Amino acid sequence: MTDVLAVAEHRRGDLRDVSFEVITAGRELADEAGGDLHLAVVGGDVDGFAERLNREGVDRIHTVDEGEEFNHDVYAQALTQLCDEVDAGYVLTPNSVNGLDYAPAVSNALGLPIVTDVIELDAGGDGLVATREMYGSKVETTTELDADRAVITVRGAEWPPTEGSGDAEVSAFDADIDESAVRSTVTGFQEAGGGDVDISEADVLVSVGRGIEEEENIGLVRDLANALDATLSASRPIVDNDWLPKNRQVGQSGKVVTPDVYIAIGISGAVQHVAGMKGSDTIVAINTDPNAPIFDLADYGIVDDLFDVMPALIEEFE
Amino acid sequence: MKVLVTVKEVAEVEDDFEIEGTEIGPQYLNYDLNEWDDYAVEEGVQVGENVDDAEVVAVTIGPERSEETIRMALAKGADRAVRVWDEALEDVDLLDVGAKVRLLEAVVEEEDPDLVLSGVQAGDDAFGATGVALADAIDFEWAAVVNHLGLDVDEGVAHVHRELEGGVDEVTDVETPAVLTIQTGINEPRYASLRGIRQAQSKEIAPKDLSDLGLSAEDIESDLRLTDMYEPETESDATYFEGGPEETAGQLADLLRDTGVAE
Ligand SMILES: Cc1cc2nc3c(=O)[nH]c(=O)nc-3n(C[C@H](O)[C@H](O)[C@H](O)COP(=O)(O)OP(=O)(O)OC[C@H]3O[C@@H](n4cnc5c(N)ncnc54)[C@H](O)[C@@H]3O)c2cc1C
Ligand SMILES: Nc1ncnc2c1ncn2[C@@H]1O[C@H](COP(=O)(O)O)[C@@H](O)[C@H]1O
């Protein structure tokens, strides 16, 4: 019998969706391991959060009333202590930017192995088997844990959010925070981007990725966007290279877009990119690699060199 | 001021490849400096250029082949390099975060840096966890997914931005010594100049094995075992346009006209 401790996530006063997904994943794991599902919520309006997190499948909710916003030192200390207190075998957190800012520290503090960005979990047999991707989603792997305790971070949108209301017991956990070990301070937030266009408003997006190779070649994609009266967007490397401004970036750390048509040109379809465009109505992909993950989402595909297809396509509309 | 930059040589897979057991056939792999570490090296070198008496040391855990990659870090301006490897590591097919942290912790003990820069993640096995786990092990402060760094050496504070989801940065002050995991786009990594490449040939790459680091084979025992690797079943139900570029472009153009996107 192994208990699971899942961790909720919130930012600037709101619970994030992953909180409800991690409950679903945690319940599954707890069922397989024959234990209870504990849920921790650290900082912010913990009582209000606890009420909203009291969903089907949660056995106990532990509130840690420390601070308003996320602070990884507080999280790491509180969760390490809570895990010991409730004697949980598995600590389950979102594989979010904040998750990756405390989960590895918790794993090290507890002396537990960590397995991150997991897309499937199976604790039905002996020990735990985690499925993850490698090489930019080109392969999937299964990893077996020799230990019967671990810290696990789960990928967003892989488990559905839990729905029904629950009857978990809610209690305050009095963490003993060593303030001298809190050596970082969040001083604020800053919205990136802004600027002239809002790609999330566009009906048609022509989106360019690293397959374009050189800055000079962006013109090719721009010409198509102009011909279609569409808006130009991009994957992250294009923006990292300053070939297009930040407000054109689609994905986890850019914009979430839901156009009628999304044309992905030389984009592989990495999970962080897909997070921003999978809600598009019709997805068209042009890519030389027939196994590129973008084709898993695409409604229409062309497996060919963009430098051959793009000129022909532009010509069609001249 | 000493900056330690952790760098990994990662494998990139060709479009067509075959899996052999729990590995991709070596003939389908091309090795390169991890994308995130390229930005970390640049950030370290820039810190070195802006601070008096700074030394930038690159460290990698990797086989002999990875000397080529760590030389790239030297060619881009790192002063010296450490390469950790041991026979005992040859047979480990997945060096997990814990094992890497124990190795890097031993290097940190020897080098005594003020700042450690790692990448957000390694492009191949993508754990995204080594930097933060290392920080806890060496009792440094830390910040994950840093896309802006302003270092105040006198105050002992790193003013950083952490790139959260949805185009929002968290603005945070981090006390040094610290480990920062560097996100792509934080800077513009330089290309190694010919002169840099030539100089790198004569820079020192110190080899370290387990005993040099005061470790034993037990320290690198991993709790994770890779048991299977396979190509994910395609979920694709895409309609593929076939033919040469003119034909496929023509079909796509028809689709765009039919759906009213184009006239
Ligand atoms: C914390 C974090 C946040 C991130 N946030 C984002 C984000 O918001 N948005 C985002 O996009 N990424 C994000 N990423 C990066 C993401 O992991 C990928 O690295 C990135 O999406 C890859 O972009 P790409 O598809 O353009 O490049 P690649 O993955 O390099 O793909 C290029 C593609 O082009 C194809 N190609 C090459 N040549 C040609 C040709 N001649 N013709 C046709 N096709 C060709 C290749 O087959 C390949 O599939 C994030 C990563 C992290 C760790
Ligand atoms: N073998 C290695 N040698 C040196 N540094 C590494 C190694 N593996 C990972 N790292 C560092 O840790 C970062 C995150 O890697 P990972 O946690 O494996 O995704 C990388 O960007 C590197 O900076």
Side-chain angles (χ1 to χ4, degrees), chain A residues 283-304:
Chain A
I283 297 169
V284 181
I286 304 173
N287 198 306
T288 38
D289 178 4
N291 297 315
I294 191 77
F295 287 120
D296 286 345
L297 279 97
D299 301 287
Y300 298 92
I302 297 176
V303 179
D304 204 350

Side-chain angles (χ1 to χ4, degrees), chain A residues 7-8 10 40-44 46 62-64 66-69 74-75 78-79:
Chain A
V7 186
H10 58 89
V41 55
V42 184
V46 286
H62 306 270
T63 59
V64 181
E66 292 279 350
E68 270 312 298
E69 287 298 339
V74 171
Y75 266 62
L79 294 169

Side-chain angles (χ1 to χ4, degrees), chain A residues 198-229:
Chain A
D198 185 355
I199 55 171
S200 64
E201 296 286 314
D203 296 326
V204 182
L205 283 173
V206 174
S207 208
V208 56
R210 184 146 44 197
I212 201 73
E213 286 174 11
E214 308 271 342
E215 183 168 16
E216 297 84 83
N217 301 333
I218 300 270
L220 213 51
V221 195
R222 197 185 297 277
D223 287 349
L224 179 67
N226 288 342
L228 295 175
D229 206 10

Side-chain angles (χ1 to χ4, degrees), chain B residues 130-151:
Chain B
T130 304
V132 172
L134 174 67
D136 192 74
I138 60 178
D139 196 27
F140 276 28
E141 190 50 36
W142 72 88
V145 194
V146 169
N147 66 357
H148 173 82
L149 166 63
L151 191 63

Side-chain angles (χ1 to χ4, degrees), chain A residues 234 249-257 272-277, chain B residues 166-167:
Chain A
Q249 184 180 315
V250 173
Q252 172 189 307
S253 47
K255 285 260 165 66
V256 174
V257 299
Q272 296 94 348
H273 184 79
V274 167
M277 47 65 76

Side-chain angles (χ1 to χ4, degrees), chain B residues 5 8 25 36 38-39 43 75 120 140 152 157 161 174 183 196 200 238 259:
Chain B
V5 187
K8 186 182 187 195
W36 282 266
D38 193 16
Y39 287 89
E43 202 61 23
V120 166
F140 276 28
D152 187 333
V157 178
H161 287 194
V174 179
Q183 175 64 310
T259 50

